[in-house]
Amino acid sequence: WAVGGDVLVVPSTVDGLDISLYNDYTKTTPVQTGEYAYPWSYVAEPYVATTMEAQNADSEAWYKWTVEGHTQGYGQSIDVAFTSVGWNNVLLTEKKNGKVTSSVAIKVMVKYVRREIRSMTDLDRERFFQAISIMSVVPTETGQGIWGSKYKSKDYFNRVHLYYGGTADCDHWHQGAGFVTSHFAYTLMYEAAMQAVDSSVSMPYWDFTLESTFYTPNDWRNSVSTRGKV
């Protein structure tokens, strides 16, 4: 690596300059990496404010941050938004007294994350609902003229699901091994349509097993809807 003619020095010890990354989610629940978890040392999400911090930094030094060859800012920490899924090259340069004293170059794996819908921030949940709302009222042809070919309306997905899974003579999607693969593809297509509207959203999931931790059997028996019926 070289920036502005400077020859960069790569730290040679485990106590040398390093980088940590986090967002509002991973600050409190870090991404688990390593042999039995995700195989990337540095992970971020696209179109989400990501804080990058210099580890083992010198308080008297000057720091410059570069992502994919473009300067992002200066200081011991900065907030950036990655806009490219996949590998992103990040370079942190340290200078002191006008000289490059250290640097670290890392590869950050940028991926969308699907979260349990109740664990999302209010803002992220509302952006998800807003994208769905737009897909409910904007026809496919109109939306593709605005957001591109990946946009599909709610009606498009309704028709596809009925065509493959709603015929009386043969349910191609819900009987047999095809259920998993068809719904993987269907969900991915739906997510891509949402992201055409708002690049920051991803498809959440609903963990229905959580309800069993919220209530006791007596809660169900004494509820207004089930009292005297169960």
Side-chain angles (χ1 to χ4, degrees), residues 115-133:
R115 292 185 167 86
E116 211 283 331
I117 192 166
R118 286 162 293 193
S119 72
M120 298 167 69
T121 64
D122 291 342
L123 176 60
D124 285 350
R125 192 181 301 109
E126 286 304 313
R127 296 185 76 156
F128 165 66
F129 289 145
Q130 181 64 25
I132 291 177
S133 178

Side-chain angles (χ1 to χ4, degrees), residues 1-3 6-8 10 66 68-69 89-91 103-106:
W1 292 82
V3 177
D6 294 323
V7 178
L8 306 183
V10 178
T66 306
E68 290 297 316
N89 294 304
V90 174
L91 175 65
S103 72
V104 60
I106 65 171

